[in-house]
Amino acid sequence: MSLADAGGSVVVVDVDPPAWLLVPADGEVDAGASTSWREGAAELFALSAEADREAGVVPPDVDVEVALDSLLAMAALLGDTSRLAAGFSVPGAWPLPVVVDAGLTGADAPDLLELGRARGGSPLEAPLIDELPDDVGPGVVVTRFDLDHDGRIWATVTAAARRDGLDATATWRSTDLRLAALQTPALVELLGRVRLVARADRLQETTR
């Protein structure tokens, strides 16, 4: 999507645990705030593991500190118009990283199928395309399966919306194909929480 007109805008995703953990962008928090985030994230991991056990599900075997380092490293690679959120909605399979992108809809904006990554790649079959619910869209949810150079099959689910002059996508990828249908509802819910704000306004929000 074209973001040339976005200027000093940043992406904001309004989420709360336990369904999602928003990963701070590189340089977004100081050392003290980073420590606080890690402590809160570790509590969320423990809470999710306990919820899995109570539901009769085996929690994922996750080294919390390694997982948090990995999420922070992924977030550090993203720009101001992208955010990383980790999903905890699928029992026994968390955290599931989701990249959220947003920008102003321009005159050269792609159509919704292109925005939703329905084209290109090395698909094994035609992608599955569904419409977003009215409270999130208009937009599409695209599920595709692609073969990489190493012979692995990747599932990619992208929810793409165009509303109020804003283009937004939420994208999840994995080689664990069984998770695609389970993660899709959470992805759609996340997309409805995306907004683009001026950097100065965002700084005011975070310092209140």
Side-chain angles (χ1 to χ4, degrees):
M1 65 191 73
S2 175
L3 301 172
D5 296 328
S9 298
V10 294
V11 177
V12 175
V13 188
D14 297 310
V15 299
D16 295 309
W20 293 99
L21 172 67
L22 192 63
V23 183
D26 189 35
E28 185 178 54
V29 294
D30 57 26
S34 178
T35 299
S36 177
W37 177 82
R38 293 185 76 101
E39 291 174 348
E43 291 179 2
L44 178 57
F45 275 62
L47 177 66
S48 298
E50 181 61 26
D52 279 358
R53 285 189 286 267
E54 290 180 354
V57 177
V58 178
D61 184 13
V62 177
D63 184 314
V64 175
E65 293 304 318
V66 171
L68 295 182
D69 287 342
S70 178
L71 290 171
L72 288 168
M74 290 178 64
L77 298 175
L78 303 178
D80 282 345
T81 55
S82 302
R83 294 303 306 265
L84 183 70
F88 287 78
S89 296
V90 181
W94 43 261
L96 299 178
V98 173
V99 176
V100 175
D101 296 291
L104 302 178
T105 304
D108 59 346
D111 62 34
L112 284 172
L113 291 181
E114 185 176 348
L115 188 66
R117 298 177 173 87
R119 304 189 180 109
S122 302
L124 297 177
E125 56 189 18
L128 303 175
I129 301 172
D130 295 305
E131 292 188 0
L132 285 173
D134 291 340
D135 60 335
V136 178
V140 294
V141 181
V142 177
T143 303
R144 56 182 297 156
F145 299 95
D146 293 89
L147 189 68
D148 70 12
H149 295 299
D150 296 321
R152 295 173 301 180
I153 300 174
W154 285 83
T156 303
V157 182
T158 301
R162 173 168 289 153
R163 62 179 189 273
D164 303 325
L166 178 71
D167 281 1
T169 63
T171 302
W172 167 84
R173 300 185 73 229
S174 177
T175 55
D176 192 341
L177 308 185
R178 67 186 177 87
L179 298 180
L182 300 174
Q183 176 70 344
T184 297
L187 205 68
V188 171
E189 186 270 340
L190 181 69
L191 187 62
R193 296 173 172 265
V194 178
R195 56 194 173 100
L196 194 69
V197 302
R199 185 186 299 275
D201 292 340
R202 179 55 176 163
L203 288 175
Q204 289 182 355
E205 287 184 12
T206 56
T207 54
R208 287 173 186 165

